[in-house]
Amino acid sequence: MIFWEIAKRNIRIHMLRSTLAMLGIVIGVVAIASMGILGNSLVSTVSDSLKSVGDSVIVTPYTGGGGGMGQSGGGGGIGGGSSGSLKLSDQNFQQIKRVVAPNKAILVYLTSEHMKIGVGGDDIVATVYGLPSDDVPDLMKLQAGDYNNGNSGCLVGPTFAKDHNLKVGSRISMGTDGSKGTLRVTGIIEERGMSFDISTDNAIVVTQAWFENTYNRNGDYDEVVVKVKTGDTADVKTAIEKQLNKRKDNKIVSVMDSKATLSSIYATFGTVTTFVTAIGGISMIVAGVSIFNIMMMSVNERIKEIGIMRSIGTQKREVMSMFIYEAAIIGVIGSIIGGIFSVFAGYAISALMLSTIKYLFTVANAFSVGEGVCFGIVVCLACGIYPAWQAANLNPIDALRHE
Amino acid sequence: MQPVIQFEDVVKIYPLKAGDVTALNHISFEVQRGEFISIMGPSGSGKSTLLNLIGCLDTPTSGDIFVSGTRVRAMNDVELTKLRRDRIGFVFQYFNLFPLLNVIENVNFPQMLKSGKDVNPDKAKEVLHAVQLEEQFYTHTSTELSGGQQQRVAVARALINDPDILLCDEPTGNLDSKTGASIMELMTELNRKGATIICVTHDPTVAKYSDRTIRIVDGCIAS
């Protein structure tokens, strides 16, 4: 098609001008796509950190503050419970068990304790969870050893094990000067990341019996975790609240639906991603203005040529197409180059800000790059439409007279 | 025989802020197929307005114009553009070739507008041969050609769609006398082969090549 050819040649003879316009688009696409990649990678990082949360409902004693998040706990997780005076009674636990059946309710003891690793080791303080042995596999997986830890065995979190050079078979003296006995490590827990129920990465997990005997605790639990396999977490939450918080002026429990909390976290990150992408979009608008500018220049330089074309029988739409092709060529080439560069920019951002590139090659990031490329092309076309329309609607007589 | 161009009481008024200007005042004339007409007149007499109306670049304020029997006044922009493409060949004073295209592409341009991809690849060479441009220049751009060569290419471009009328606006105005004479001989040759030529000029030498001359003075036909 002759108009396509003319558009190409016009770009070629104004190579510097066209290249600068393309550069604007490249920067715009890189800004949008790399901001999108950053947002997506942040979401992926958080998702990975919260992957163990699953479909849980966490029940903690009511503190008057609403949900279970933010309670003071000895290094526990987000909803790590309390080692203070507020506890859930065994009666509460039994009620929860009945309400959530057939889903499993798991009682959780929690405290922090002084301990020493090996002979002459330093005194350290770490979180200790007490869990019923049978329920431990429902809450965590092991990377080494086994669950069958007897009464004096314990499981340790991966970070804790790594920091203190612990292996299966290592021994930990509990309490100041070993006053609470010695535990043998029978298993290393798989990394769970941040979680709403229990955070075991830097903790140790002991049996319910050992915990109750050692700390003289019985039937006063720090939290109850419900693993929801049947039904919806929101329904389970409502059922527990309905049963235990019958009196509005005397609430007994705070219930947190992990799924709903996760959704709101993801929604927040989604908003942040949209916001930073929109900031990147500003550079695209600037690029669009420069495209508009060079298209207007192109039209002004070629008024006479347009007049000749129109006088020898070129239709308005054909004149328009010639300028649209020009904008499209700049837009497509600039956007594709921008798309390629945005992968490198995404690599650099991921490596520098998140210290990992494992979230770079994801569908969401491919979508962000595609989105940036498409937006670049659309902006170029949109900015080419008015100059093209103006060119097409020039009066052929006036255009022919133009010098 | 139906005239190629027929003006019936044509008036063209330009409404300006300072007041209306009557560029053409009740003009009527006919041009028969195969005629070679020159239109002459002093500056501001209405020659250019007449040329624009014959070339369907403009429409009259009143009166009727028929091009090859088609009433121009009732046509919209798309139809007028099509009429220009298919029935009229334009030759300009300043050649007006497309600088981005070479000779063959310039000549083929109107054919591409008319036929899209189905252009006759030999047609451009035929018309370039008819205007006596050597083959060695076919791949040159307009800037690599002399004025006379450029005007030959412009004539070839005007002829490619076999128009009913060849409309020339001062075709020798930008050429030296020798080259101008050769272009006018080319026009005469084309006219002998059957082309209808309307040539707007104020050069009496050019007018000598025509069969008859229409003189315009103050928007009216003087003779």
Side-chain angles (χ1 to χ4, degrees), chain A residues 116-160:
Chain A
K116 272 184 184 169
I117 314 292
V119 181
D122 291 337
D123 183 53
I124 54 171
V125 177
T127 304
V128 180
Y129 286 101
L131 299 171
S133 301
D134 294 344
D135 296 336
V136 172
D138 291 312
L139 285 175
M140 64 197 78
K141 288 178 182 160
L142 300 185
Q143 55 171 270
D146 59 56
Y147 294 105
N148 187 12
N149 48 12
N151 199 28
S152 61
C154 71
L155 305 172
V156 294
T159 312
F160 188 82

Side-chain angles (χ1 to χ4, degrees), chain A residues 2-3 6 9-10 13 304-305 308-316 318 396-397 400-401, chain B residues 52 57-58 77-78 81-82 84-85 90 92 96 98 100-102 105 109-110 112-113 157:
Chain A
I2 192 71
F3 295 104
I6 292 174
R9 290 182 195 181
N10 197 50
I13 62 162
K304 179 130 190 169
E305 192 180 326
I308 302 161
M309 283 183 177
R310 293 281 290 130
S311 67
I312 64 174
T314 307
Q315 296 288 0
K316 284 181 178 179
E318 290 170 322
I397 298 168
L400 271 173
R401 282 196 197 121
Chain B
N52 292 336
L57 290 165
D58 206 353
D77 183 75
V78 173
T81 306
K82 207 172 165 189
R84 289 199 295 272
R85 184 192 72 192
F90 282 87
F92 303 94
N96 289 347
F98 300 120
L100 293 172
L101 303 179
N102 65 25
E105 289 166 334
F109 188 87
M112 288 179 192
L113 295 178
R157 182 178 68 184

Side-chain angles (χ1 to χ4, degrees), chain B residues 62 68 90 94 104 112 115-116 121 140 142 151 153 170 180 201 215:
Chain B
S62 68
S68 303
F90 282 87
Y94 295 101
I104 285 280
M112 288 179 192
S115 315
H140 288 216
S142 58
Q151 197 60 303
V153 176
E170 305 278 10
T201 184
R215 290 183 195 281

Side-chain angles (χ1 to χ4, degrees), chain A residues 284-345:
Chain A
M284 185 65 90
I285 291 166
V286 174
V289 171
S290 101
I291 295 287
F292 182 86
N293 195 27
I294 73 144
M295 292 308 297
M296 287 304 288
M297 280 168 68
S298 186
V299 170
N300 281 327
E301 283 167 0
R302 294 159 73 188
I303 289 177
K304 179 130 190 169
E305 192 180 326
I306 294 161
I308 302 161
M309 283 183 177
R310 293 281 290 130
S311 67
I312 64 174
T314 307
Q315 296 288 0
K316 284 181 178 179
R317 61 180 164 75
E318 290 170 322
V319 172
M320 203 163 164
S321 72
M322 183 171 66
F323 288 96
I324 297 283
Y325 287 148
E326 208 171 308
I329 291 169
I330 292 171
V332 169
I333 295 175
S335 298
I336 289 172
I337 294 171
I340 294 165
F341 280 173
S342 60
V343 176
F344 293 110

Side-chain angles (χ1 to χ4, degrees), chain A residues 107-110 128-130 208 211-212 217-222:
Chain A
L107 63 88
V108 178
Y109 283 116
L110 166 67
V128 180
Y129 286 101
Q208 179 187 357
F211 198 99
E212 285 177 347
R217 300 267 298 268
N218 195 4
D220 56 337
Y221 312 120
D222 292 288

Side-chain angles (χ1 to χ4, degrees), chain B residues 85-176:
Chain B
R85 184 192 72 192
D86 298 344
R87 302 277 176 86
I88 302 164
F90 282 87
V91 178
F92 303 94
Q93 180 178 354
Y94 295 101
F95 328 127
N96 289 347
L97 298 177
F98 300 120
L100 293 172
L101 303 179
N102 65 25
V103 166
I104 285 280
E105 289 166 334
N106 260 291
V107 173
N108 260 330
F109 188 87
Q111 199 190 182
M112 288 179 192
L113 295 178
K114 190 177 180 181
S115 315
K117 287 177 182 171
D118 303 324
V119 292
N120 177 356
D122 298 326
K123 189 74 189 287
K125 287 180 182 172
E126 277 173 31
V127 287
L128 281 167
H129 184 72
V131 299
Q132 297 148 25
L133 187 81
E134 293 89 339
E135 207 165 330
Q136 68 195 77
F137 298 110
Y138 288 4
T139 52
H140 288 216
T141 58
S142 58
T143 50
E144 296 161 349
L145 301 175
S146 69
Q149 286 169 330
Q150 286 189 59
Q151 197 60 303
R152 284 172 196 278
V153 176
V155 173
R157 182 178 68 184
L159 291 172
I160 188 103
N161 281 343
D162 300 317
D164 293 338
I165 315 137
L166 196 59
L167 198 56
C168 309
D169 182 11
E170 305 278 10
T172 60
N174 205 34
L175 300 172
D176 61 71

